[in-house]
Amino acid sequence: MGDEERPNPASPPPDGTPPNPSREDAVSGPLDGRQAGQHARHDQIRDNMLRSVVTEPLLEAVQNATPDQQFDVIIALNEFYDGGMPAALDLVKRRADELRVPYTVSSHYVFACLTAEQIKALAAEARELVRTRGPGATVIWRIWEDTETSVTLYRSTMTVKADAAQRAFRADGRDIVWAVLDSGIDASHPHFKVDKSPYGSIDALAISPPLQHMDFTPARTGATVDGFGHGTHVAGIIAGYWESVDGKPQPVVGSETRNEQTNAAEPGLESIQVIAGMAPCCQLVSMKVIADQTLDNPKQTVGQGKVSWVLSALDQIQQWNQHGRRLLIHGVNMSLGYDFDPRWFGCGQSPICVEVNRLVKCGVSVVVSAGNAGYSAFVTAAGKAEAHFSSLTISDPGQAELAITVGSTHRGMPDAYGVSYFSSRGPTGDGRRKPDLVAPGERIVSCAAGVEKAKYAEVKDASGNAAGVLYCEQSGTSMAAPHVSGSVAAFLSVRGEFIGQPERVKELVVSNTIDLRRDPAFQGSGLLDLMKVLQAI
């Protein structure tokens, strides 16, 4: 082209067609709506993936708070602190005294109530120490929100074949001890203390030192008191026994039906002759981590708990078991949970999931409810109320890899009805298969206590007398989990060589289920079948 003038790529060609944009224009020019949305999502992902001492969603709350606004937090201590954990705890004490902040310690976690200003200051100090002196210089590894947790039988015993296992194998849970992390267990309920039964005498809540029933809620109302009624119902599915005195069905079961005119629940009565837990002779340790009453001082809400209370209970089990060197507690039932926030970076790596996995590694089977978020209601941007089935809804600690995570199915006809509509669906946020299996969780009959029993205070029997309600129906994956806990306890009572091998036990339980021919994200491996598990050995 010699000395000819080169055309300006930015000027329009002679035919009047628009020029092709330059690369610089394409990158830095005005963004259309779709490009702007893509950039916004990219920025959000980048922000969420940035390493930080204060984790989401606490970080966002702190950033938007006034300096003196207070937050309940869990401070995870740096296990690789240069001075070692004793020195780290000593430093924590000195700093807490300086700040005049009360705190408690469980394992390598510190629970405290800090202001937004204090949280930001601690995070800045930790970052500066790491920058100038390396990762071993700081005592603080992460600061988490102390999240609130919430609580997520006769025919169901046959559904999982626990009754057949009791007859054929004498799998009654004898000499096995199970901790129930819940709202307490009502020790006055006749289901837990029986002088005469087909299994001999039963005293499910009689435990020997150093074991003791413990209350981790602020009110300290007692671990063998259950004003909420959830923990007693769960415990009754695992263990215990009741039979009518005259051998005839008695109207001792409270049930509810819907009034189509008012849409209100109307209490009624049903009769039973005998009822037993999955492992009638199993010993139960009540560890109260769900409040059974609402108080302002100390602050707690009925039906709710704190992750810190659960962590303290798990740590106590580790101490009793001497971290696996002696097994006084063989299993744990956790019919509770909270929604997982994906900005926590590691799905299944929250403090409660880490401690659940650690407890399993120390020889304890941990059974957890999957959650009740399988069918979600929401309001669209247009203001329209909608509801639909939801996947990836497994709650923590159900996302813990080594926990046996249990979804719900129909109590009597699981093959026909499949997985309960409310049962949380998998997989986990990072793609692992959960739940592990399903068990009955719809309208399960078990022990009535607290507010659940009070619903039937005005109900009269056929003679017009006040009904002595002992049992009631409840639904949820909270009821499905203890079916598995009791079944594992029953299994261990006749296959003692598997005590202290919870990962092997989980493998046996999960691989010997009944396939309900539903998607694995719904049913896991299928329906619990205790007879198949026992016959697999």
Side-chain angles (χ1 to χ4, degrees):
M1 296 179 60
D3 294 331
E4 294 181 24
E5 183 179 354
R6 296 180 181 273
N8 182 352
S11 61
D15 61 3
T17 57
N20 292 324
S22 67
R23 178 176 178 80
E24 181 178 356
D25 289 336
V27 173
S28 61
L31 299 175
D32 61 23
R34 184 175 62 179
Q35 289 175 313
Q38 291 172 341
H39 278 249
R41 285 192 295 272
H42 178 272
D43 290 343
Q44 184 179 33
I45 293 172
R46 181 199 63 197
D47 291 343
N48 288 338
M49 293 303 294
L50 289 173
R51 293 183 178 88
S52 64
V53 176
V54 183
T55 65
E56 293 286 7
L58 176 61
L59 177 58
E60 182 177 355
V62 167
Q63 289 172 336
N64 295 323
T66 58
D68 60 348
Q69 185 173 338
Q70 294 183 321
F71 297 89
D72 290 326
V73 298
I74 299 173
I75 301 175
L77 301 181
N78 183 5
E79 296 185 40
F80 300 100
Y81 178 59
D82 290 340
M85 195 53 63
L89 292 172
D90 184 61
L91 181 56
V92 166
K93 183 180 184 306
R94 294 202 307 270
R95 293 301 301 277
D97 290 343
E98 291 172 8
L99 296 172
R100 297 182 179 179
V101 172
Y103 72 98
T104 56
V105 175
S106 177
S107 184
H108 55 283
Y109 297 105
V110 175
F111 313 132
C113 182
L114 302 177
T115 65
E117 185 176 21
Q118 290 170 334
I119 293 171
K120 290 177 182 178
L122 289 175
E125 179 183 324
R127 283 197 308 274
E128 182 63 16
L129 285 170
V130 171
R131 187 184 68 82
T132 58
R133 295 168 50 189
T138 178
V139 167
I140 296 175
W141 180 63
R142 288 287 188 274
I143 303 177
W144 307 74
E145 178 184 22
D146 190 359
T147 311
E148 288 190 346
T149 61
S150 58
V151 297
T152 31
L153 178 80
Y154 41 70
R155 274 185 258 177
S156 60
T157 305
M158 293 184 286
T159 301
V160 300
K161 299 179 186 171
D163 59 331
Q166 291 165 10
R167 292 193 300 268
F169 292 90
R170 197 68 179 175
D172 57 14
R174 193 174 305 276
D175 298 324
I176 300 300
V177 182
W178 218 262
V180 180
L181 275 62
D182 216 291
S183 60
I185 302 175
D186 183 356
S188 68
H189 200 291
H191 184 87
F192 301 111
K193 187 174 176 59
V194 183
D195 292 331
K196 186 179 179 181
S197 80
Y199 313 96
S201 63
I202 294 174
D203 194 350
L205 297 175
I207 52 178
S208 302
L211 299 181
Q212 58 180 307
H213 305 296
M214 297 187 68
D215 185 354
F216 295 88
T217 65
R220 298 292 194 267
T221 52
T224 54
V225 176
D226 183 14
F228 187 51
H230 187 271
T232 303
H233 195 277
V234 165
I237 298 171
I238 299 174
Y241 179 87
W242 179 88
E243 185 174 359
S244 65
V245 176
D246 58 5
K248 298 179 180 179
Q250 298 294 322
V252 295
V253 179
S255 63
E256 294 180 306
T257 57
R258 177 178 293 176
N259 183 316
E260 289 82 3
Q261 302 298 321
T262 65
N263 208 36
E266 294 188 347
L269 290 175
E270 293 184 6
S271 298
I272 57 170
Q273 177 184 339
V274 62
I275 185 171
M278 300 292 114
C281 301
C282 178
Q283 301 301 123
L284 301 175
V285 179
S286 177
M287 308 192 81
K288 194 171 191 172
V289 297
I290 298 294
D292 62 352
Q293 57 181 281
T294 298
L295 298 173
D296 290 328
N297 187 23
K299 185 173 178 56
Q300 60 178 43
T301 304
V302 64
Q304 301 291 322
K306 287 283 189 180
V307 169
S308 56
W309 307 348
V310 177
L311 290 175
S312 295
L314 296 177
D315 182 54
Q316 181 61 63
I317 295 170
Q318 290 279 35
Q319 292 181 43
W320 282 333
N321 283 358
Q322 295 182 358
H323 295 270
R325 287 185 288 275
R326 65 170 185 183
L327 287 182
L328 301 181
I329 301 286
H330 303 104
V332 174
N333 189 88
M334 300 172 67
S335 291
L336 50 81
Y338 60 94
D339 293 338
F340 169 71
D341 190 316
R343 295 174 296 173
W344 287 0
F345 298 175
C347 179
Q349 299 300 322
S350 64
I352 196 170
C353 288
V354 169
E355 293 309 310
V356 164
N357 287 337
R358 196 168 275 164
L359 188 59
V360 174
K361 286 293 185 182
C362 290
V364 179
S365 292
V366 180
V367 181
V368 182
S369 55
N372 299 327
Y375 189 74
S376 302
F378 59 94
V379 177
T380 67
K384 181 182 178 182
E386 293 186 1
H388 61 66
F389 290 100
S390 303
S391 59
L392 289 93
T393 51
I394 303 294
S395 61
D396 268 6
Q399 305 218 47
E401 174 68 21
L402 301 183
I404 303 176
T405 304
V406 188
S408 170
T409 186
H410 192 274
R411 72 178 181 183
M413 302 175 67
D415 191 71
Y417 290 102
V419 179
S420 303
Y421 80 92
F422 55 77
S423 186
S424 288
R425 271 73 166 160
T428 63
D430 61 344
R432 290 174 289 115
R433 189 166 90 170
K434 289 279 185 176
D436 294 302
L437 75 169
V438 293
E442 296 182 20
R443 298 182 64 186
I444 303 301
V445 174
S446 185
C447 303
V451 295
E452 292 298 325
K453 184 174 183 177
K455 292 178 181 178
Y456 307 99
E458 303 300 322
V459 177
K460 307 294 183 182
D461 62 19
S463 302
N465 300 317
V469 169
L470 296 176
Y471 297 90
C472 67
E473 294 178 342
Q474 291 193 45
S475 299
T477 57
S478 283
M479 283 63 251
H483 281 82
V484 177
S485 283
S487 295
V488 173
F491 169 80
L492 292 176
S493 69
V494 294
R495 295 286 187 261
E497 67 269 32
F498 289 97
I499 291 176
Q501 300 185 51
E503 292 180 79
R504 177 70 173 126
V505 171
K506 177 180 177 179
E507 178 187 349
L508 284 167
V509 170
V510 172
S511 61
N512 289 284
T513 56
I514 297 174
D515 185 7
L516 299 179
R517 295 169 295 177
R518 266 67 177 189
D519 190 282
F522 287 57
Q523 71 161 20
S525 64
L527 173 68
L528 170 70
D529 188 325
L530 181 54
M531 282 294 287
K532 285 184 69 175
V533 177
L534 285 164
Q535 292 170 335
I537 305 302

